[in-house]
Amino acid sequence: EVQLVESGGGLVQPGGSLRLSCAASGFTLSNYSMNWVRQAPGKGPEWVSYISRSRNIIYYADSVKGRITISRDNAKNSLYLQMNSLRAEDTAVYYCARVEIAADGTTFDCWGQGTLVTVSS
Amino acid sequence: QSVLTQPPSVSAAPGQKVTISCSGSSSNIGNNYVSWYQQLPGTAPKLLIYDNNKRPSGIPDRFSGSKSGTSATLGITGLQTGDEADYYCGTWDSSLSAYVFGTGTKVTAL
């Protein structure tokens, strides 16, 4: 079964750091580009970051640029998101999402269950 | 503030049809493929439509997608109570170098 499982969320103070992980199973992570998408309480999804299969292409949303770093370890079938200088507005459920390789356009065909990040003092 | 605009809500009686519009611009919908996602309460978004009008395996043909110019539309026929959810369009924005989601539409079966 294809599965993505996020971990690492929790309560952190403003200005703090957190590292999220996403473990992939049921498929070979190295064959897929990956993303992080977040959803604040009561809001719609907001794309956060993209990393290509070989890590040579990376994109970030303007709202997190300079504070967040996406990375991957294909040997461990894992995706990561290092978040620094966290703000209250970063409070959200963070999902990892896989890019469908059979599609002509960018589309997210598999999502994890999400991990909640709460930034509060 | 999203660059893709959707109506906040649509509703219809069970068995009827609803359509959801998604309006964008030439930098996103106009030159890129559109996807649609369904999000049931308390769950992660689920892919419904990709490449404007293709359905992933397991998605019933009651769901359909289309695109014209800088707008896209999701159609749901034979509306069921189980279809009550939030629906989001999404596509790549070439000017922003970012993936963008629509504002979201809540579907209600009256």
Side-chain angles (χ1 to χ4, degrees):
Chain A
E1 178 193 5
V2 172
Q3 197 171 13
L4 294 168
V5 179
E6 302 91 340
S7 61
L11 175 63
V12 60
Q13 292 188 338
S17 298
L18 214 54
R19 189 193 195 209
L20 307 183
S21 299
C22 171
S25 59
F27 69 99
T28 303
L29 188 69
S30 61
N31 292 336
Y32 293 84
S33 298
M34 296 295 294
N35 296 262
W36 286 97
V37 176
R38 69 184 182 183
Q39 189 166 24
K43 303 293 185 182
E46 177 192 14
W47 171 82
V48 172
S49 183
Y50 163 96
I51 185 168
S52 63
R53 289 176 293 175
S54 56
R55 308 183 200 85
N56 61 324
I57 300 174
I58 288 176
Y59 295 111
Y60 296 104
D62 286 344
S63 58
V64 302
K65 205 169 290 183
R67 302 186 297 117
I68 282 180
T69 303
I70 190 172
S71 63
R72 63 191 297 162
D73 187 335
N74 289 334
K76 293 184 177 180
N77 245 26
S78 292
L79 176 73
Y80 305 101
L81 191 70
Q82 177 66 44
M83 303 189 296
N84 301 322
S85 302
L86 285 164
R87 307 166 180 167
E89 53 265 35
D90 295 319
T91 295
V93 174
Y94 285 73
Y95 299 100
C96 58
R98 187 181 79 170
V99 176
E100 165 64 72
I101 57 175
D104 290 321
T106 302
T107 194
F108 306 144
D109 70 331
C110 181
W111 298 64
Q113 87 290 347
T115 187
L116 176 63
V117 172
T118 303
V119 184
S120 175
S121 53
Chain B
Q1 188 173 355
S2 176
V3 299
L4 303 181
T5 303
Q6 300 178 230
S9 64
V10 297
S11 60
Q16 297 302 304
K17 177 181 180 178
V18 296
T19 59
I20 302 170
S21 60
C22 175
S23 178
S25 67
S26 59
S27 65
N28 41 67
I29 293 178
N31 285 284
N32 292 290
Y33 289 96
V34 177
S35 298
W36 288 91
Y37 304 89
Q38 176 193 61
Q39 187 172 31
L40 297 169
T43 69
K46 172 186 174 182
L47 180 63
L48 272 186
I49 297 289
Y50 68 98
D51 287 355
N52 303 332
N53 56 18
K54 298 177 183 175
R55 281 177 288 106
S57 173
I59 301 300
D61 58 8
R62 299 188 298 104
F63 296 92
S64 64
S66 64
K67 187 184 104 167
S68 178
T70 59
S71 294
T73 301
L74 173 71
I76 308 174
T77 59
L79 188 66
Q80 300 176 1
T81 55
D83 297 332
E84 292 192 319
D86 293 320
Y87 292 80
Y88 299 93
C89 56
T91 187
W92 187 256
D93 189 297
S94 304
S95 294
L96 299 174
S97 292
Y99 194 86
V100 290
F101 289 96
T103 50
T105 299
K106 184 175 186 63
V107 170
T108 302
L110 298 172

